């Protein structure tokens, strides 16, 4: 399992998901004491920020190592290993549910959304993030062009499916579906740190999808571009997210 393998370094090289998690919590602005469920919690990017706001947080993830590390670091958070397609949680038990960069990766988004609607109380908010737009002034064009060369040779199995989150939320029965955008611009010390960051999260699936010779060549080319960026004024990690918000009518 990819995320079980990555658990030790996930969000530890750079505070990437933590930055997005903190921004998402600002968007949903939960009241102290709110019962919050965070699905696909990883190392707790959203869960930790929500707990700091006084929420009673339940954080679930399918990767046991992720859950173990999160629970050890933050014992005040209720951490559980769980398949979010089948939430072992009571009906109508949460005031808010969140999921950072997970809904586009699951096998059956409709099943997940149905489960989230079941465990949310009437009037509760659901907030999910997916990769979104971000202005980078062309800084990442050459780096992205390298992958465009290799992508046709990659095994298509395991690639995230395209998903119309708004349409799926409507189909699941959620109301007041809307979006807002987030962005992070993180300075990175050097090319190797930036590459290590990429290999610490879902981006690593790209190398898994290539043959060993292609993977080695892709890494070499990618590091060359990162070195060029570093030598041309420094590496800034520019990334965006779209927050999909909706209300459970009950």
């Amino acid at each position: 399992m990819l995320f079980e393998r990555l658990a030790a370094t996930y969000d530890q090289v750079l505070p990437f998901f933590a930055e997005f998690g903190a921004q998402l919590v600002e968007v949903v602005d939960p009241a102290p004491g709110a019962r919050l469920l965070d699905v696909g919690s990883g190392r707790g990017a959203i869960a930790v920020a929500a707990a700091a706001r006084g929420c009673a947080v339940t954080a679930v993830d399918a990767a046991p190592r992720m859950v173990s590390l999160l629970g050890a670091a933050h014992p005040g958070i209720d951490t559980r290993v769980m398949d979010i397609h089948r939430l072992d949680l009571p009906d109508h038990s949460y005031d808010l549910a969140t999921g950072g960069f997970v809904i586009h990766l699951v096998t059956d988004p409709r099943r997940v959304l149905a489960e989230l609607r079941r465990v949310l109380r009437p009037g509760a908010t659901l907030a999910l993030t997916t990769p979104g737009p971000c202005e980078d002034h062309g800084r990442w064009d050459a780096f992205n062009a390298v992958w465009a060369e290799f992508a046709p040779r990659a095994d298509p199995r395991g690639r995230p499916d395209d998903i119309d989150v708004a349409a799926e939320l409507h189909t699941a029965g959620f109301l007041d579906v809307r979006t807002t955008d987030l962005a992070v611009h993180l300075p990175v010390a050097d090319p190797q740190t930036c590459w290590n960051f990429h290999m610490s999260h879902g981006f690593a699936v790209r190398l898994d999808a290539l043959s060993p010779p292609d993977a080695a060549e892709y890494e070499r080319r990618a590091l060359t571009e990162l070195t060029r960026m570093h030598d041309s004024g420094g590496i800034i990690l520019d990334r965006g997210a779209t927050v999909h918000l909706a209300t459970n009518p009950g």
Side-chain angles (χ1 to χ4, degrees):
M1 181 180 180
L2 176 67
F3 291 101
E4 180 77 358
R5 187 183 89 208
L6 298 176
T9 55
Y10 189 83
D11 216 29
Q12 305 303 297
V13 181
L14 297 171
F16 176 79
F17 295 106
E19 288 283 337
F20 277 122
Q23 290 185 39
L24 177 61
V25 171
E26 288 296 317
V27 168
V28 297
D29 192 23
R35 296 164 297 170
L36 183 146
L37 171 65
D38 185 43
V39 299
S41 198
R43 295 291 295 270
I46 297 170
V48 172
R53 291 278 295 261
C55 295
V57 179
T58 300
V60 305
D61 198 286
R65 184 64 174 153
M66 291 281 197
V67 174
S68 174
L69 290 168
L70 175 57
H74 300 277
I77 295 174
D78 177 13
T79 56
R80 310 189 196 185
V81 178
M82 198 175 295
D83 179 355
I84 64 174
H85 294 84
R86 292 176 290 277
L87 293 171
D88 186 18
L89 299 166
D91 294 355
H92 312 308
S93 51
Y94 292 95
D95 304 309
L96 174 65
T98 57
F101 299 101
V102 65
I103 192 63
H104 60 296
L105 300 178
V106 300
T107 303
D108 187 348
R110 292 187 180 184
R111 176 69 178 268
V112 170
L113 292 176
E115 281 291 275
L116 288 169
R117 187 174 172 200
R118 178 183 65 79
V119 302
L120 284 169
R121 64 167 179 79
T125 297
L126 173 64
L128 306 169
T129 60
T130 57
C134 180
E135 177 56 63
D136 66 4
H137 304 287
R139 280 189 286 257
W140 288 86
D141 288 354
F143 182 89
N144 293 333
V146 175
W147 175 247
E149 289 183 37
F150 284 83
R153 291 178 251 167
D155 187 336
R157 291 174 296 179
R159 291 182 189 172
D161 292 328
D162 291 332
I163 173 175
D164 185 336
V165 178
E168 295 294 345
L169 286 166
H170 283 297
T171 297
F174 286 92
L175 301 179
D176 192 23
V177 176
R178 62 225 185 260
T179 63
T180 189
D181 290 329
L182 308 176
V184 299
H185 304 278
L186 295 174
V188 186
D190 55 71
Q192 190 61 55
T193 297
C194 196
W195 180 253
N196 292 346
F197 158 74
H198 282 85
M199 292 299 100
S200 71
H201 63 93
F203 186 97
V205 77
R206 293 187 177 188
L207 264 71
D208 293 347
L210 294 171
S211 69
D214 279 347
E217 178 62 11
Y218 173 61
E219 179 177 354
R220 185 192 69 77
R221 294 271 306 280
L223 277 165
T224 296
E225 288 302 328
L226 291 173
T227 299
R228 180 192 58 78
M229 292 169 66
H230 181 262
D231 293 344
S232 300
I235 302 171
I236 304 293
L237 187 66
D238 307 287
R239 296 292 185 270
T242 298
V243 184
H244 307 267
L245 297 154
T247 302
N248 180 27

